Short mmCIF file of all heavy atoms in Angstrom, two decimals:
data_model
loop_
_atom_site.label_atom_id
_atom_site.label_comp_id
_atom_site.label_asym_id
_atom_site.label_seq_id
_atom_site.Cartn_x
_atom_site.Cartn_y
_atom_site.Cartn_z
N ARG A 145 -10.91 14.46 -5.19
CA ARG A 145 -9.83 14.14 -6.11
C ARG A 145 -8.83 13.16 -5.47
O ARG A 145 -8.27 12.29 -6.15
CB ARG A 145 -9.10 15.41 -6.56
CG ARG A 145 -9.95 16.34 -7.44
CD ARG A 145 -9.43 16.41 -8.83
NE ARG A 145 -8.01 16.76 -8.92
CZ ARG A 145 -7.63 18.00 -9.17
NH1 ARG A 145 -8.47 18.93 -9.39
NH2 ARG A 145 -6.29 18.23 -9.26
N LEU A 146 -8.66 13.31 -4.17
CA LEU A 146 -7.74 12.44 -3.44
C LEU A 146 -8.26 10.97 -3.47
O LEU A 146 -7.51 10.00 -3.61
CB LEU A 146 -7.62 12.96 -2.00
CG LEU A 146 -6.35 12.64 -1.24
CD1 LEU A 146 -5.09 13.02 -2.03
CD2 LEU A 146 -6.38 13.38 0.09
N ILE A 147 -9.59 10.82 -3.29
CA ILE A 147 -10.20 9.52 -3.29
C ILE A 147 -10.03 8.89 -4.65
O ILE A 147 -9.63 7.71 -4.77
CB ILE A 147 -11.71 9.56 -2.87
CG1 ILE A 147 -11.78 9.96 -1.38
CG2 ILE A 147 -12.38 8.26 -3.15
CD1 ILE A 147 -13.17 10.35 -0.96
N SER A 148 -10.20 9.66 -5.69
CA SER A 148 -10.07 9.13 -7.06
C SER A 148 -8.60 8.78 -7.34
O SER A 148 -8.30 7.71 -7.90
CB SER A 148 -10.68 10.19 -8.03
OG SER A 148 -10.07 10.05 -9.28
N PHE A 149 -7.70 9.66 -6.92
CA PHE A 149 -6.26 9.39 -7.10
C PHE A 149 -5.87 8.11 -6.38
O PHE A 149 -5.18 7.23 -6.94
CB PHE A 149 -5.46 10.60 -6.51
CG PHE A 149 -3.95 10.37 -6.55
CD1 PHE A 149 -3.26 10.53 -7.73
CD2 PHE A 149 -3.27 10.08 -5.38
CE1 PHE A 149 -1.87 10.30 -7.76
CE2 PHE A 149 -1.89 9.88 -5.41
CZ PHE A 149 -1.21 9.99 -6.56
N ARG A 150 -6.38 7.92 -5.16
CA ARG A 150 -6.03 6.69 -4.41
C ARG A 150 -6.55 5.45 -5.14
O ARG A 150 -5.85 4.46 -5.29
CB ARG A 150 -6.61 6.81 -3.02
CG ARG A 150 -5.97 5.87 -2.02
CD ARG A 150 -6.64 5.97 -0.67
NE ARG A 150 -6.60 7.29 -0.11
CZ ARG A 150 -7.71 7.99 0.27
NH1 ARG A 150 -8.91 7.45 0.19
NH2 ARG A 150 -7.60 9.22 0.76
N GLY A 151 -7.76 5.54 -5.65
CA GLY A 151 -8.34 4.35 -6.33
C GLY A 151 -7.61 3.98 -7.57
O GLY A 151 -7.47 2.83 -7.91
N ARG A 152 -7.13 5.00 -8.29
CA ARG A 152 -6.47 4.76 -9.60
C ARG A 152 -4.99 4.50 -9.49
O ARG A 152 -4.42 3.79 -10.32
CB ARG A 152 -6.69 5.93 -10.54
CG ARG A 152 -8.12 6.07 -10.94
CD ARG A 152 -8.31 7.41 -11.63
NE ARG A 152 -9.69 7.59 -11.95
CZ ARG A 152 -10.14 8.08 -13.12
NH1 ARG A 152 -9.27 8.41 -14.03
NH2 ARG A 152 -11.39 8.26 -13.34
N GLN A 153 -4.32 5.08 -8.52
CA GLN A 153 -2.84 5.04 -8.53
C GLN A 153 -2.20 4.33 -7.33
O GLN A 153 -1.06 3.99 -7.39
CB GLN A 153 -2.29 6.51 -8.51
CG GLN A 153 -2.85 7.35 -9.62
CD GLN A 153 -2.06 7.16 -10.92
OE1 GLN A 153 -1.29 6.25 -11.05
NE2 GLN A 153 -2.32 7.98 -11.92
N LEU A 154 -2.96 4.24 -6.25
CA LEU A 154 -2.37 3.68 -5.03
C LEU A 154 -3.02 2.33 -4.69
O LEU A 154 -4.21 2.14 -4.84
CB LEU A 154 -2.53 4.60 -3.83
CG LEU A 154 -2.06 6.05 -3.99
CD1 LEU A 154 -2.16 6.80 -2.67
CD2 LEU A 154 -0.64 6.12 -4.47
N GLY A 155 -2.18 1.47 -4.12
CA GLY A 155 -2.71 0.25 -3.50
C GLY A 155 -2.40 0.41 -2.01
O GLY A 155 -1.31 0.64 -1.66
N VAL A 156 -3.45 0.31 -1.19
CA VAL A 156 -3.25 0.59 0.25
C VAL A 156 -3.73 -0.62 1.08
O VAL A 156 -4.83 -1.11 0.84
CB VAL A 156 -3.96 1.86 0.70
CG1 VAL A 156 -3.77 2.12 2.18
CG2 VAL A 156 -3.55 3.07 -0.15
N VAL A 157 -2.91 -1.08 1.97
CA VAL A 157 -3.26 -2.13 2.93
C VAL A 157 -3.09 -1.56 4.28
O VAL A 157 -1.97 -1.26 4.71
CB VAL A 157 -2.35 -3.38 2.80
CG1 VAL A 157 -2.79 -4.46 3.77
CG2 VAL A 157 -2.43 -3.95 1.38
N VAL A 158 -4.20 -1.35 5.01
CA VAL A 158 -4.06 -0.83 6.38
C VAL A 158 -3.84 -1.98 7.37
O VAL A 158 -3.90 -3.13 7.00
CB VAL A 158 -5.29 0.08 6.82
CG1 VAL A 158 -5.41 1.26 5.91
CG2 VAL A 158 -6.57 -0.75 6.82
N GLN A 159 -3.47 -1.63 8.58
CA GLN A 159 -2.95 -2.65 9.53
C GLN A 159 -4.00 -3.68 9.89
O GLN A 159 -3.68 -4.85 10.08
CB GLN A 159 -2.43 -1.94 10.76
CG GLN A 159 -1.60 -2.83 11.67
CD GLN A 159 -0.82 -2.07 12.74
OE1 GLN A 159 -0.90 -0.82 12.80
NE2 GLN A 159 -0.04 -2.76 13.52
#
Side-chain angles (χ1 to χ4, degrees):
R145 292 248 306 261
L146 207 51
I147 291 168
S148 155
F149 175 76
R150 201 183 300 123
R152 291 168 185 224
Q153 306 278 9
L154 306 186
V156 180
V157 179
V158 298
Q159 192 166 3

